[in-house]
Amino acid sequence: MKSHGSESDGHTDVLSGIVRMFLNSNLSIILIIFSMIIGIAALLLTPREEDPQIVVPLADIYVQFPGHAASEVEQLVATPLERMLSQIDGVEYVYSMSQDDQATITVRFYVGEDRERSLVKLFKKLNENADAISPGVTSWVMKPVEIDDVPIVTFALKGANDDNLSLRRIAEELVERLSVVPQVSRASIIGGLPRTIHINLQTAELRSHLLSIQDVLSAVDGANSTQPAGTFVRDDNSIHVAAGGALRSAEDLRNLVVGVFDERPVFLKDVASVVDGAVEVTSYVRHGWGPARHFESHAGSPGTRIGSHGHATSDLEAHENDADSQSAVTIAISKQKGANAVEVARQAIAEAERLRSEVLPDDVQLIVTRNSGLTANHKVNELVEALGVAIVIVVLLLTIGLGWREAVIVAVAVPVVFGLTLAVNLMFGYTINRVTLFALILALGLLVDDPIVDVENIARHFHDRKKATRRIVLDAVAEIRPPLISATLAVIVSFLPMFFITGMMGPYMSPMALNVPVAMLMSMVVAFTITPWLTYQMLKKHYPNEERGLSASDATDGAKSHVLEEAYDPEVVKQTWLYRFFRPLMVPLLKTRLRAITFLVFIFALTVAAAEWARCGWCR
């Protein structure tokens, strides 16, 4: 049986020209080096996160409606606002919570809606309907909420004396300094007792001095303000004059004149007691150690104490005599959108270590209780290691099936393809996370198909013709080009629908919808550029070869005239276990056209049923 080469008899097409160009030059070396460089750069520069970015525009609206009970707030404020805000295009849900004197309305847009545009819509709707809001509403505040508001690093401050007021003031100083760390979007405090000055008015004293509560409030408000009074010039100096002065201490407040009685000034201390202390306790934050307190910790890991000299020390060494649970204050650090969680967490912990010796007393402990950056980096590194193990397994299997030279040729294609794919990820704004790396591991089993087919067919041609030439390489590549392109496009088309998945699963599927098709496309590029050149360079030593380059006319003439002997003997093929296993299965299906069509319709029906079941499963 004879078969002609797969080159067109009319002319050499563009793809053959590309293969020939790489065969006759060292452009493959440049492409390999280039892909490796940009791949390493993309791996280092792309932000690392634990999970993909989920864009869900969300905003809380805090409405003040003083003097009304919760039921009235719900009827007059919350319900009308819910109905009005649900009319905004792109809004999925509107929630509200009503309580005495105020209401909180939460507006959530569909996943994937543009955040800035959604907030503009919300703000515009509120302003357009300001006249429809109940007249008793004194003010409203809109606060956007996004996924990056979730803290990536938290610290616990605790001291030996359980002084929540002092811990809170220390935490306030730390927050001011930690908020300037690059790419930190928010630094907040949870727990502790904020400092406040309590004014406890005495009703009998107010009556005896003919004063009202409003008189006292007006006096305090008027005294606790400063207004510019003008500027004048004297002796070539410009002097600014200010009227009034802010109250600086509780003693200033005690000596504040709040009225006049019997031609004598009435001080605030005459009608009220002034106490400089903490606010009333409304919540508690405590820190304690569980059964895993003696684990092996390292700098930056949750449970690590930042030492008194800026060193991270093990809790086993530093807290052997600590109580099981102590009052604490939590400092939460959130990152900016698109920032590298690993780098932000590292810088925040490094800054906390530096501030430990400057701000914290010796008896106050600063403990890292959460480090999402460390967790994200650890999981990403684990998946990178799994990716490396998968590559090694693929190379070993190829070595057994094809030989070590062919395995090396295919192995070179893997980092090249992944380097180009990671660069595309960086260009499109994707982060390195669990889903991205899972997509790359999934693509590993697919992207090696094109180089394997390429190498195997070229090696087969070398073996059958008993020589290795560039023209043979071109013939071998052209022979498998149509099925190779078709198979690649089929895989790409099968993954593209993931781009159109909506809801919360959309952001999780989009990295797969991008990475797998890009990896397959890059694999096809490698199969037409690097793989033929590298196969020729590594296998030509075992066969007689031509040293001259392959011209376009040589390729065309060789495609026209060369006759290829059949690679396999049918009788030999029939003796293989694979043939004996599949022939009884395939012959009944292919015996008549009706059976073949029936089988295809049955498979299609099963596919539709599986898709419908999956859809109903998601609905549940």
Side-chain angles (χ1 to χ4, degrees):
M1 179 177 178
K2 308 292 183 181
S3 63
H4 292 282
S6 60
E7 275 291 316
S8 172
D9 293 337
H11 63 279
T12 304
D13 57 18
V14 176
L15 290 179
S16 295
I18 295 175
V19 176
R20 187 187 320 108
M21 179 178 63
F22 276 82
L23 274 175
N24 293 332
S25 66
N26 290 327
L27 291 176
S28 296
I29 299 177
I30 298 175
L31 181 58
I32 293 173
I33 296 175
F34 171 76
S35 61
M36 297 291 287
I37 291 175
I38 65 171
I40 294 174
L43 186 62
L44 297 177
L45 296 178
T46 305
R48 294 187 174 192
E49 295 180 313
E50 193 168 347
D51 296 301
Q53 285 284 333
I54 302 177
V55 181
V56 187
L58 187 72
D60 291 329
I61 303 171
Y62 301 93
V63 183
Q64 300 298 323
F65 195 44
H68 295 80
S71 59
E72 296 175 332
V73 173
E74 179 185 11
Q75 182 180 3
L76 299 176
V77 176
T79 301
L81 280 177
E82 279 187 41
R83 185 168 52 253
M84 179 182 67
L85 297 177
S86 62
Q87 300 171 358
I88 300 175
D89 179 38
V91 170
E92 185 177 12
Y93 297 113
V94 179
Y95 315 92
S96 70
M97 181 181 65
S98 301
Q99 53 187 339
D100 293 343
D101 303 327
Q102 60 183 336
T104 302
I105 294 91
T106 301
V107 181
R108 179 181 138 188
F109 290 79
Y110 285 101
V111 178
E113 289 285 328
D114 183 79
R115 180 176 178 272
E116 285 72 19
R117 185 174 299 177
S118 300
L119 295 178
V120 169
K121 290 180 183 178
L122 182 58
F123 191 81
K124 183 172 178 288
K125 190 71 172 180
L126 289 171
N127 281 340
E128 288 176 349
N129 296 273
D131 57 338
I133 299 177
S134 179
V137 173
T138 58
S139 64
W140 57 269
V141 177
M142 184 179 72
K143 292 187 176 181
V145 181
E146 54 184 315
I147 192 68
D148 286 311
D149 291 336
V150 178
I152 62 169
V153 177
T154 58
F155 303 96
L157 278 174
K158 67 176 185 178
N161 53 2
D162 284 353
D163 187 355
N164 286 331
L165 179 60
S166 299
L167 289 176
R168 176 81 184 199
R169 299 187 68 177
I170 295 172
E172 290 172 352
E173 182 67 23
L174 284 175
V175 161
E176 290 296 324
R177 305 196 185 194
L178 289 175
S179 60
V180 301
V181 173
Q183 296 185 313
V184 167
S185 65
R186 180 180 300 178
S188 57
I189 303 174
I190 304 172
L193 299 177
R195 180 190 177 191
T196 187
I197 297 179
H198 299 272
I199 301 177
N200 301 314
L201 296 175
Q202 300 172 5
T203 306
E205 296 297 332
L206 286 175
R207 290 176 179 174
S208 64
H209 290 85
L210 302 180
L211 294 175
S212 66
I213 296 177
Q214 188 60 44
D215 293 333
V216 177
L217 292 177
S218 299
V220 173
D221 290 340
N224 195 31
S225 62
T226 302
Q227 297 292 332
T231 304
F232 65 92
V233 179
R234 174 178 294 178
D235 297 333
D236 295 331
N237 292 321
S238 179
I239 301 175
H240 298 274
V241 180
L247 299 171
R248 300 181 181 277
S249 64
E251 189 62 29
D252 292 344
L253 198 57
R254 293 189 185 96
N255 295 324
L256 176 66
V257 176
V258 296
V260 177
F261 178 74
D262 197 14
E263 299 182 353
R264 289 185 299 176
V266 179
F267 299 99
L268 183 59
K269 62 185 178 182
D270 297 331
V271 296
S273 61
V274 179
V275 179
D276 186 355
V279 299
E280 185 177 352
V281 178
T282 58
S283 62
Y284 293 93
V285 174
R286 302 186 68 84
H287 179 272
W289 303 101
R293 64 171 296 178
H294 301 316
F295 70 97
E296 291 293 332
S297 62
H298 57 276
S301 62
T304 301
R305 175 181 181 267
I306 297 178
S308 59
H309 299 289
H311 301 293
T313 59
S314 171
D315 298 316
L316 175 60
E317 300 172 359
H319 306 304
E320 213 39 79
N321 298 319
D322 284 353
D324 290 339
S325 178
Q326 293 179 264
S327 296
V329 176
T330 296
I331 300 175
I333 307 295
S334 303
K335 71 178 184 68
Q336 296 177 1
K337 182 180 180 180
N340 192 333
V342 178
E343 186 63 21
V344 175
R346 185 192 65 78
Q347 293 181 2
I349 294 175
E351 181 66 12
E353 291 178 355
R354 188 186 68 82
L355 295 174
R356 173 64 181 87
S357 58
E358 297 182 6
V359 178
L360 268 65
D362 293 336
D363 59 345
V364 175
Q365 302 166 10
L366 181 61
I367 304 166
V368 180
T369 54
R370 180 179 184 179
N371 187 352
S372 295
L374 181 68
T375 306
N377 194 49
H378 177 66
K379 291 181 177 180
V380 169
N381 288 338
E382 277 188 343
L383 287 173
V384 171
E385 292 175 2
L387 190 60
V389 172
I391 294 174
V392 172
I393 293 174
V394 169
V395 172
L396 291 177
L397 293 176
L398 292 175
T399 302
I400 297 173
L402 297 178
W404 71 268
R405 293 180 181 86
E406 290 81 357
V408 170
I409 296 171
V410 176
V412 170
V414 175
V416 171
V417 172
F418 280 164
L420 297 173
T421 305
L422 289 174
V424 173
N425 267 275
L426 181 60
M427 291 173 56
F428 281 87
Y430 284 84
T431 60
I432 296 179
N433 51 69
R434 291 184 292 181
V435 179
T436 303
L437 291 173
F438 172 75
L440 293 178
I441 294 176
L442 175 64
L444 176 62
L446 300 172
L447 67 89
V448 295
D449 288 346
D450 292 351
I452 288 175
V453 173
D454 221 2
V455 171
E456 194 276 334
N457 202 49
I458 295 172
R460 180 175 63 86
H461 275 256
F462 287 172
H463 180 268
D464 293 339
R465 303 187 189 185
K466 306 303 181 184
K467 63 179 179 179
T469 66
R470 291 183 174 90
R471 185 167 60 195
I472 293 176
V473 173
L474 187 61
D475 290 343
V477 174
E479 186 178 53
I480 51 90
R481 183 189 306 149
L484 189 146
I485 295 176
S486 300
T488 302
L489 293 179
V491 173
I492 292 176
V493 171
S494 65
F495 277 89
L496 286 180
M498 289 185 176
F499 271 120
F500 304 100
I501 296 178
T502 59
M504 296 296 290
M505 287 302 298
Y508 282 88
M509 295 294 104
S510 59
M512 297 180 62
L514 175 72
N515 281 275
V516 176
V518 169
M520 291 301 299
L521 186 62
M522 298 302 174
S523 174
M524 186 173 65
V525 171
V526 170
F528 289 148
T529 56
I530 297 176
T531 304
W533 174 84
L534 192 57
T535 305
Y536 175 72
Q537 298 296 327
M538 294 194 67
L539 300 183
K540 68 180 181 180
K541 298 178 180 179
H542 303 277
Y543 302 95
N545 62 83
E546 300 173 355
E547 295 298 330
R548 62 186 180 90
L550 180 66
S551 64
S553 59
D554 291 336
T556 305
D557 294 339
K560 290 180 179 179
S561 61
H562 181 70
V563 177
L564 178 65
E565 295 182 359
E566 187 172 14
Y568 301 102
D569 185 355
E571 296 302 325
V572 176
V573 173
K574 291 179 180 180
Q575 300 303 319
T576 61
W577 68 269
L578 197 63
Y579 180 86
R580 294 198 301 269
F581 177 80
F582 279 102
R583 188 177 187 281
L585 299 176
M586 301 301 297
V587 168
L589 298 176
L590 301 176
K591 190 172 184 179
T592 64
R593 182 182 297 272
L594 179 61
R595 289 185 180 181
I597 295 176
T598 303
F599 175 74
L600 292 177
V601 171
F602 177 70
I603 294 297
F604 178 76
L606 288 180
T607 303
V608 173
E612 183 65 19
W613 180 87
R615 186 184 67 83
C616 294
W618 283 117
C619 294
R620 290 193 295 271

